Amino acid sequence: MVQLYGTTDQSTLPDSIAKADKLMLAGAALAVVQGLVAAIGDLHRPVNAAFSLLSGVIVGAVWWWVAKACAEGRGGARLLATVFFALSTLGISSTLNGLYHFVTAALTVLDVLSWLVGLGVVLLLWQRDSSAFFESRRRFPR
């Protein structure tokens, strides 16, 4: 059997968790791309460009870590993913309302895509079979 993370066997993951895992990895890639696009847009300000790129890598790493933790059945990671999605919702509403005039069209599209990925992740992580998976891991930790 193929192992996804540590002792978690991919075949034992509920379908909703496996899908959420893939979406979170897509979110990680989107974050890095978003950081790269922002950095390219700020090349005339090297410090801002470096910060944008570093931010994208850090956000991508957080997405990856939350995906790993959710696949291991850590309920706190599911809650953290939900909190991050709520914060993302606040950020995307500001972007779409035009509060940040410096946001380029490409970054807006990436923001919306990232938000949609987050929405998919949260919906999958809170399905009944996902809840049962997290509950089983809480009772019987590995």
Side-chain angles (χ1 to χ4, degrees), residues 50-84:
F51 181 75
S52 294
L53 187 57
L54 182 62
S55 295
V57 170
I58 290 171
V59 171
V62 170
W63 270 105
W64 178 83
W65 177 82
V66 171
K68 179 180 183 230
C70 283
E72 291 173 352
R74 296 181 185 205
R78 176 171 69 159
L79 184 58
L80 188 60
T82 304
V83 169
F84 285 154

Side-chain angles (χ1 to χ4, degrees), residues 60-141:
V62 170
W63 270 105
W64 178 83
W65 177 82
V66 171
K68 179 180 183 230
C70 283
E72 291 173 352
R74 296 181 185 205
R78 176 171 69 159
L79 184 58
L80 188 60
T82 304
V83 169
F84 285 154
F85 175 69
L87 293 173
S88 174
T89 300
L90 294 174
I92 194 74
S93 64
S94 298
T95 299
L96 294 177
N97 286 329
L99 295 179
Y100 299 112
H101 299 290
F102 60 90
V103 177
T104 65
L107 289 176
T108 301
V109 168
L110 289 170
D111 272 349
V112 171
L113 286 174
S114 183
W115 184 86
L116 288 171
V117 167
L119 175 63
V121 166
V122 168
L123 291 174
L124 289 166
L125 289 179
W126 288 96
Q127 287 185 357
R128 182 173 289 139
D129 61 338
S130 297
S131 294
F133 172 74
F134 284 109
E135 182 64 23
S136 73
R137 296 298 174 143
R138 189 176 68 80
R139 286 191 202 143
F140 307 106

